[in-house]
Structures are given as structure tokens and as C-alpha cells.
Amino acid sequence: MDAFTAGLLQRIRATETDLSRAQDEGDDFLVEVEQAELDDLRRLAAEHGVEVGA
């Protein structure tokens, strides 16, 4: 795995964690921010053929 792929997957995992935390805390604004970031990261992964788990 190259550095780009590893870094992207790490950012996705971190964002998923942050999104989950925001949901647990009931912070609707932060949920929207984290979801948008996650969508962007998943789009980037798809554009570069990086497999992302469910």
C-alpha cells in the first residue's frame, strides 16, 4: 500500500470516528461537517480506485 492510500484510509477512519462522536453528542452542526468531509474523502478514494470498507 502506498503512502497516498494509507493516508487516505487513515483520514477516512478518523473522520468516521469524529462523525460517530458528533452523533453521540447530538452536535448536529458537527455531524453535517464531518459527514461532508467523509463524503469528500470517499469520493476521492473512488476517483483513485481505493477500496473503502462499508
Side-chain angles (χ1 to χ4, degrees):
M1 179 180 310
D2 61 34
F4 173 79
T5 300
L8 183 57
L9 292 174
Q10 190 279 327
R11 286 183 61 199
I12 288 171
R13 284 190 302 271
T15 304
E16 289 171 337
T17 298
D18 293 344
L19 174 59
S20 180
R21 185 177 306 118
Q23 290 168 330
D24 291 345
E25 294 174 358
D27 187 335
D28 294 337
F29 176 75
L30 190 53
V31 166
E32 288 185 34
V33 170
E34 296 298 344
Q35 185 62 61
E37 176 71 10
L38 187 57
D39 291 345
D40 287 344
L41 290 168
R42 287 180 175 163
R43 179 190 47 78
L44 185 62
E47 289 175 358
H48 290 277
V50 176
E51 287 289 325
V52 178

